[in-house]
Amino acid sequence: MEGVFLTLEGLEGTGKTTNLAFLTQLLEEAGANVLVSREPGGTQLGEALRELILNRHDLQVSAMSELLMIFAARAQHLEQVIKPALAEGLWVISDRFTEASYAYQGSGRELGSAAVEVLEALVQAHLQPDVTFLLDIDPELGLRRASATGAPDRIEQEGLAFFERVRSGYLSRAEQFPERFKVVDASPSLEQVQTQLRMHVSALLNEKGLAT
């Protein structure tokens, strides 16, 4: 049985970590076998690249180098984790995937979508998530929330204009692929956000023949 591939996207300050755990709980309560992973990361190579991309503030990394490292991590993640898990019939949830590259490097870093599209085709071929949950928030509010959770990583330290471009990139992708994206307003309370998520997950579980 072929598995189901879900991705969770969003700006800083959207409660992505908390909501990832909530999504996992909903799926497992419905009887799904779930594997949770993240990008960049998910493999030994991916985690090493994650450290370079996010936590090495002393490195000078060009926008294109950043994009290439993320896709190198993604290639390993797909071959070592995601594809085998889907082949086993698991429900895979990835904390970020290629939509983050369109948003952060394509829009935020202003590389444009063409380079991302080339790498996406090379690394993924036709593989796409079944559903992408996008936690959407005004960047100013998101950054204010994120500042209370600890020191920013290399990307999180970018300014407001960067994150406004990232949000625009995400929303543009959601408009382009409305059948795959489920946009969730992440600005209200956690309870209200999770009510929205529960609605989307219930519809997905019904579609896949699992009880909610």
Side-chain angles (χ1 to χ4, degrees):
M1 182 180 67
E2 190 171 340
V4 180
F5 185 23
L6 310 176
T7 57
L8 183 63
E9 301 280 358
L11 293 177
E12 286 63 24
T14 56
K16 199 155 51 63
T17 300
T18 301
N19 286 305
L20 180 65
F22 179 70
L23 281 175
T24 304
Q25 178 185 340
L26 289 178
L27 293 172
E28 289 179 339
E29 287 175 351
N33 293 317
V34 182
L35 182 146
V36 179
S37 196
R38 69 176 184 177
E39 290 204 350
T43 66
Q44 186 176 0
L45 175 63
E47 293 296 330
L49 288 168
R50 181 186 183 90
E51 178 67 20
L52 291 176
I53 294 164
L54 297 182
N55 298 325
R56 286 292 301 275
H57 295 264
D58 58 318
L59 289 180
Q60 295 293 320
V61 181
S62 73
M64 182 58 73
S65 295
E66 183 177 277
L67 178 65
L68 290 169
M69 284 194 289
I70 287 170
F71 265 98
R74 182 164 297 136
Q76 190 73 14
H77 193 208
L78 280 164
E79 295 304 317
Q80 191 174 340
V81 177
I82 295 175
K83 288 180 180 179
L86 292 175
E88 291 177 17
L90 300 182
W91 288 60
V92 177
I93 310 177
S94 182
D95 180 351
R96 300 202 192 282
F97 194 60
T98 305
E99 300 306 336
S101 297
Y102 280 101
Y104 280 82
Q105 285 75 46
S107 296
R109 299 290 191 209
E110 300 183 283
L111 285 175
S113 62
V116 184
E117 288 171 356
V118 169
L119 291 168
E120 179 183 32
L122 181 65
V123 170
Q124 294 170 227
H126 299 295
L127 190 151
Q128 292 290 341
D130 293 281
V131 174
T132 294
F133 297 100
L134 172 60
L135 299 172
D136 178 52
I137 198 169
D138 178 85
E140 191 169 3
L141 174 58
L143 291 174
R144 193 159 61 243
R145 287 180 177 177
S147 66
T149 64
D153 64 31
R154 200 180 130 270
I155 293 178
E156 289 171 346
Q157 69 184 3
E158 294 291 338
L160 180 60
F162 172 85
F163 289 104
E164 287 174 341
R165 293 194 298 272
V166 172
R167 185 194 190 194
S168 177
Y170 268 135
L171 292 176
S172 176
R173 293 288 293 174
E175 289 180 7
Q176 189 175 353
F177 300 100
E179 72 288 348
R180 175 162 59 84
F181 271 80
K182 307 301 177 187
V183 181
V184 173
D185 181 4
S187 59
S189 69
L190 179 61
E191 181 181 3
Q192 290 172 297
V193 172
Q194 292 185 343
T195 295
Q196 297 174 70
L197 284 170
R198 187 186 296 274
M199 177 189 68
H200 290 307
V201 170
S202 294
L204 176 62
L205 289 170
N206 286 332
E207 178 186 324
K208 299 298 181 181
L210 290 177
T212 58

